[in-house]
Amino acid sequence: VPVSVVATAGTTTVTSVDPLAAVAEICERENVWLHVDAAYAGSAAALPEMRSLFAGWERADSVLFNPHKWMLVPLECTGLFFRRMERVRRAFSVVPNYLETPEGLAVREYMDYGIQLGRRFRALKMWMTLRAFGASGVRARLRAHLVLARALRGVLEREPGVTIAAPTPFSVVAFRWTPPDLSPEAADAANARILARINEDGRVFISHALVSGRYTLRVAIGNVRTERRHLQTFLQVFREAVAAESPRKP
Ligand SMILES: Cc1ncc(COP(=O)(O)O)c(C=O)c1O
């Protein structure tokens, strides 16, 4: 018997978003717990103009996001929201007599909402980030990342031999170098070599993923210090890495 469904808002590979409202509809009908994994993209919901991408997640039983991924907070810090906290407390709370306090349920003891007893003060990083930048400062930086990602995508759309691998709803641009004379398998190998060259160069660091089974390059923009000039450096390093491929072409 299915007891829970995990929908993703911002998949790891291409940051796609599941049809959250439709999934919520089914979960409500079947009385199944809906968890929304918004680990990376959830931070974008801080921007009113991005909220429509998350429509339906307000019907979830739990939602998670990682401020360390895209809310400028250092590793690691997770925000986990529950619709009915009391249920979570009942599932996890095990209080031995030496941890009983006179406050009882009047205070929220985090040991009652998970497996860990001893835990780091992760919320401090989040608090300090918000104190340092303010909510408006965080929003401004997320918007800047979105602008950078769209600009990079625009350049890559016009770049000879490059195919954009997926829509760019957030700040991750997924693409492949696919010159017409290379078979898909040869292009996979070429893209893997390009990634290795780029990362060995050391000026920028990018990642990869299999998208529809094909080796795909990904630029993820999320660091507080990333600026347009870093994308220019990336393009330069990328073009050098592609140029090193050219002699291999028949
Ligand atoms: C959608 C998604 N869920 C979960 C994770 C893993 O999160 P964590 O490192 O907090 O376990 C990632 C990325 O690493 C992710 O992109």
Side-chain angles (χ1 to χ4, degrees), residues 19 36 77 79 83 99 108-109 134 138 144 151 157 176 197 211 217 226 244:
V36 174
C77 179
R83 174 178 298 287
L99 288 178
R108 178 164 293 166
E109 294 277 12
V138 170
E157 276 169 354
R176 282 163 54 77
R197 264 181 225 121
V211 178
L217 305 175
T226 300

Side-chain angles (χ1 to χ4, degrees), residues 8 10-12 37 39-40 66 68-69 78:
T8 306
T11 55
T12 311
D37 178 352
Y40 151 72
N66 289 153
H68 71 244
K69 287 202 168 80
T78 295

